Amino acid sequence: MKVSTLVEERRLARTTLPIMEAFHTIQGEGYHTGTPAYFIRTGGCDVGCHWCDVKESWDSSKHPETDIAQLIANARACESPLVVITGGEPMMYDMAPLTTGLRENGLNVHLETSGAYELTGDWDWICFSPKKFKAPLQEYYERSHELKVIIYNRSDFQWAQDHAFKMHADAKLFLQPEWSKADEVMPLIVQFVKENPVWRISLQTHKFLNIP
Ligand code: SF4
């Protein structure tokens, strides 16, 4: 089956989603760093970042189709006011049923996405993290609250600036070192942010804390 056909089929109105894991932890990255949150990680991603730290998420068939009503009940039971939906790439699916249900239950719902697929769902916060390996869609520059660019090498700074110029004026801008290259690129990021103070540094603090 062609990839486009497969994605269209996956995005039909759904009562289940392939879920890799769901867990209560601390948001380790970006604008909401340090906030307790219930994370829901969808299975399935075809963006193909070579440094991806969740490659086990890529094959959606390896993750159980999980009832959306059950996901909402589990999030409620966790009693965290914040739910973060990440992946994999959540936008490969129609997120409206899950996000509407979560918000109807009084939960704040945040998204982490590469922006490679049309935006669906109802969100309190969108963290847009574009990748070189699959071009993002224009709507994310206008609708995201936060741009988070992963820095793997020197050329990524200009790439980050190119994306920042397309964002709306209120967007928060973050640079985050790719974990395996942090020792090498962190001094460059510090210097860059000192010279370009519109940017902030995001660290994967959950990895330093050794929590999920
Ligand atoms: Fe991994 Fe995210 Fe890249 Fe997909 S978009 S390959 S999940 S880092």
Side-chain angles (χ1 to χ4, degrees):
M1 188 182 291
K2 278 170 54 187
V3 170
S4 58
T5 310
L6 186 59
V7 169
E8 282 160 21
E9 183 195 301
R10 284 174 174 168
R11 298 192 69 163
L12 295 173
R14 307 179 60 99
T15 57
T16 65
L17 289 164
I19 299 299
M20 177 177 161
E21 56 184 351
F23 50 96
H24 193 198
T25 187
I26 305 292
Q27 168 60 286
E29 306 178 5
Y31 187 76
H32 294 280
T33 294
T35 309
Y38 186 68
F39 270 66
I40 298 174
R41 186 184 303 284
T42 56
C45 184
D46 64 354
V47 175
C49 309
H50 62 85
W51 42 258
C52 177
D53 59 359
V54 281
K55 285 183 174 153
E56 61 274 29
S57 72
W58 289 6
D59 184 349
S60 63
S61 70
K62 294 194 170 149
H63 305 292
E65 286 289 334
T66 307
D67 195 63
I68 289 172
Q70 188 61 53
L71 289 169
I72 295 167
N74 293 348
R76 277 194 64 181
C78 169
E79 296 188 353
S80 170
L82 172 60
V83 177
V84 177
I85 299 178
T86 186
E89 176 44 72
M91 284 303 105
M92 291 176 78
Y93 312 102
D94 179 6
M95 282 291 147
L98 176 58
T99 56
T100 301
L102 291 169
R103 296 191 83 208
E104 283 174 354
N105 280 277
L107 298 166
N108 283 312
V109 188
H110 293 190
L111 169 66
E112 300 194 347
T113 179
S114 68
Y117 288 94
E118 178 191 351
L119 183 64
T120 60
D122 191 10
W123 304 96
D124 294 290
W125 189 268
I126 297 171
C127 174
F128 167 41
S129 185
K131 305 297 188 313
K132 287 180 173 173
F133 315 98
K134 195 171 177 78
L137 303 183
Q138 182 62 34
E139 62 179 329
Y140 287 90
Y141 299 100
E142 292 140 21
R143 298 182 62 185
S144 303
H145 304 83
E146 171 181 358
L147 173 71
K148 182 174 68 187
V149 177
I150 311 303
I151 299 296
Y152 184 83
N153 58 36
R154 285 176 185 272
S155 70
D156 292 334
F157 290 101
Q158 185 56 53
W159 196 79
Q161 291 280 50
D162 293 344
H163 287 280
F165 287 136
K166 298 182 190 173
M167 295 293 294
H168 60 85
D170 295 330
K172 313 293 183 192
L173 306 179
F174 287 91
L175 298 177
Q176 179 173 298
E178 195 281 317
W179 182 252
S180 69
K181 302 277 271 187
D183 288 349
E184 183 182 328
V185 300
M186 202 63 233
L188 304 176
I189 294 175
V190 169
Q191 187 61 33
F192 183 87
V193 170
K194 282 158 63 175
E195 293 169 358
N196 300 273
V198 66
W199 289 93
R200 298 287 180 273
I201 294 174
S202 170
L203 299 175
Q204 291 179 295
T205 55
H206 53 292
K207 293 189 177 179
F208 291 101
L209 295 169
N210 201 23
I211 57 176

